[in-house]
């Protein structure tokens, strides 16, 4: 099931064929609650994929860097890598820049840029790509165009690491409480559910409830569409080979797909 970090896939510049969608303005204040847990589960398998990678060809690109939790994982796994962290949401990017700026190592190696997957200005060469929480916001033609652009910049054998999100085809997911955290005198609940819409897409509804003394004092809901896929489909789109990482350190983890040029 998609996590609470569906990264914005909008054109930051005036391309008329795209509508500006920012999934973050309404629920940005809660993002770190889920991102912390999410990185704890997805960080180890990502580290396993990246460790020992040759990063001499160019920077490692992270598309949809959010608040920088995964950026930290990439930097730790690849201590010599230059990292290009792209995040189109200004709210998320503010937190990302703050995280990078206060860490001397990240400050030296990470460049933060605005830009969505469809219109991202790319360097001529890349060593690897990490795409977490983004691929389902792209239509198939948008993904195919992205894979082609990335393949042109990657050396043979270089990975594109994609978060699979656990929804390979449209289905009904009844609303379920996926997270409950207490901060100070308040408790925060995150509810998520989804249903099929058109074609390969699902519409997810997320709701944050803020409770105090057992009473809901705020409730914030949002919806977004997600184009479902599995790693085999992505590999066909990209003309690449693929594998799935389903565990790390002997523990089952949220599935991660690796496309290899």
């Amino acid at each position: 099931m998609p996590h609470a970090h569906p990264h914005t896939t909008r054109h930051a510049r005036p391309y008329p064929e795209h509508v500006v969608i920012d999934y973050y303005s309404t629920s940005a204040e809660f993002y770190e609650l889920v991102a912390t847990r999410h990185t704890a589960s997805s960080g180890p398998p990502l580290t396993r994929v990246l460790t020992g990678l040759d990063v001499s060809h160019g920077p490692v690109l992270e598309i949809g860097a959010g608040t920088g939790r995964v950026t930290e994982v990439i930097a730790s796994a690849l201590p010599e890598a230059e990292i290009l962290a792209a995040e189109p949401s200004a709210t998320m990017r503010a937190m990302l820049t703050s995280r990078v700026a206060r860490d001397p190592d990240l400050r030296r190696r990470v460049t933060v840029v605005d830009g969505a997957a469809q219109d991202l200005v790319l360097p001529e060469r890349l060593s690897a790509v990490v795409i977490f929480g983004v691929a389902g916001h792209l239509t198939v033609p948008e993904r195919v165009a992205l894979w082609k652009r990335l393949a042109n910049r990657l050396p043979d054998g270089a990975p594109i690491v994609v978060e699979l999100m656990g929804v390979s085809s449209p289905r009904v997911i009844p609303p379920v409480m996926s997270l409950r955290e207490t901060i100070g005198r308040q408790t925060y609940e995150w509810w998520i559910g989804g249903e099929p819409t058109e074609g390969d897409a699902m519409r997810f509804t997320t709701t944050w409830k803020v409770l105090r003394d057992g009473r809901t004092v705020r409730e914030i809901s949002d919806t977004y569409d997600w184009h479902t896929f599995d790693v085999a489909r992505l590999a066909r789109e990209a003309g690449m080979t693929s594998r799935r990482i389903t565990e790390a350190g002997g523990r089952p983890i949220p599935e991660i797909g690796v496309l290899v040029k």
Side-chain angles (χ1 to χ4, degrees):
M1 182 184 301
H3 302 284
H5 62 139
H7 290 297
T8 325
T9 58
R10 54 121 172 109
H11 272 279
R13 293 151 193 86
Y15 287 72
E17 69 272 25
H18 280 80
V19 178
V20 173
I21 305 171
D22 186 340
Y23 296 102
Y24 286 114
S25 9
T26 52
S27 58
E29 67 184 283
F30 311 115
Y31 180 89
E32 282 282 282
L33 296 177
V34 176
T36 303
R37 184 185 70 174
H38 171 247
T39 308
S41 61
S42 61
L46 177 59
T47 298
R48 187 172 137 198
V49 172
L50 295 179
T51 299
L53 190 73
D54 179 3
V55 294
S56 62
H57 192 74
V60 174
L61 170 65
E62 183 186 5
I63 297 178
T67 60
R69 291 274 178 183
V70 172
T71 316
E72 289 179 322
V73 173
I74 298 168
S76 178
L78 297 169
E80 303 304 315
E82 179 187 351
I83 299 167
L84 185 63
E87 175 51 58
S89 164
T91 313
M92 294 294 103
R93 205 167 54 250
M95 289 189 266
L96 169 63
T97 302
S98 173
R99 176 167 271 124
V100 169
R102 67 173 178 255
D103 181 310
D105 178 56
L106 294 180
R107 180 189 277 259
R108 180 175 59 85
R109 296 195 285 137
V110 179
T111 301
V112 176
V113 296
D114 178 16
Q118 301 97 323
D119 67 342
L120 199 53
V121 177
L122 298 174
E124 288 189 13
R125 290 155 63 100
L126 296 167
S127 287
V129 183
V130 175
I131 308 176
F132 275 26
V134 174
H137 288 301
L138 306 178
T139 63
V140 172
E142 287 172 336
R143 287 202 304 256
V144 168
L146 178 63
W147 305 140
K148 185 175 180 181
R149 293 183 69 209
L150 296 177
N152 288 340
R153 291 161 169 82
L154 290 165
D156 289 343
I160 300 174
V161 190
V162 186
E163 190 175 41
L164 298 181
M165 304 303 244
V167 186
S168 58
S169 59
R171 58 188 168 95
V172 173
I173 300 175
V176 63
M177 185 173 67
S178 185
L179 184 101
R180 195 168 200 266
E181 298 278 354
T182 298
I183 300 175
R185 295 177 179 270
Q186 296 186 150
T187 298
Y188 299 80
E189 293 181 355
W190 179 50
W191 294 74
I192 182 167
E195 58 186 19
T197 54
E198 295 179 20
D200 63 357
M202 287 183 64
R203 179 156 297 150
F204 282 91
T205 300
T206 63
T207 300
W208 282 96
K209 297 179 182 180
V210 182
L211 298 95
R212 189 158 180 168
D213 300 325
R215 186 172 61 87
T216 302
V217 292
R218 289 168 62 209
E219 188 169 308
I220 297 100
S221 292
D222 212 349
T223 61
Y224 62 90
D225 288 349
W226 181 264
H227 298 275
T228 58
F229 58 84
D230 58 22
V231 69
R233 178 170 187 169
L234 298 186
R236 287 194 301 272
E237 293 171 1
M240 298 181 182
T241 58
S242 67
R243 58 191 166 100
R244 285 188 312 167
I245 309 294
T246 57
E247 63 172 54
R251 294 186 188 170
I253 48 95
E255 285 188 332
I256 287 174
V258 183
L259 306 180
V260 181
K261 183 180 169 186

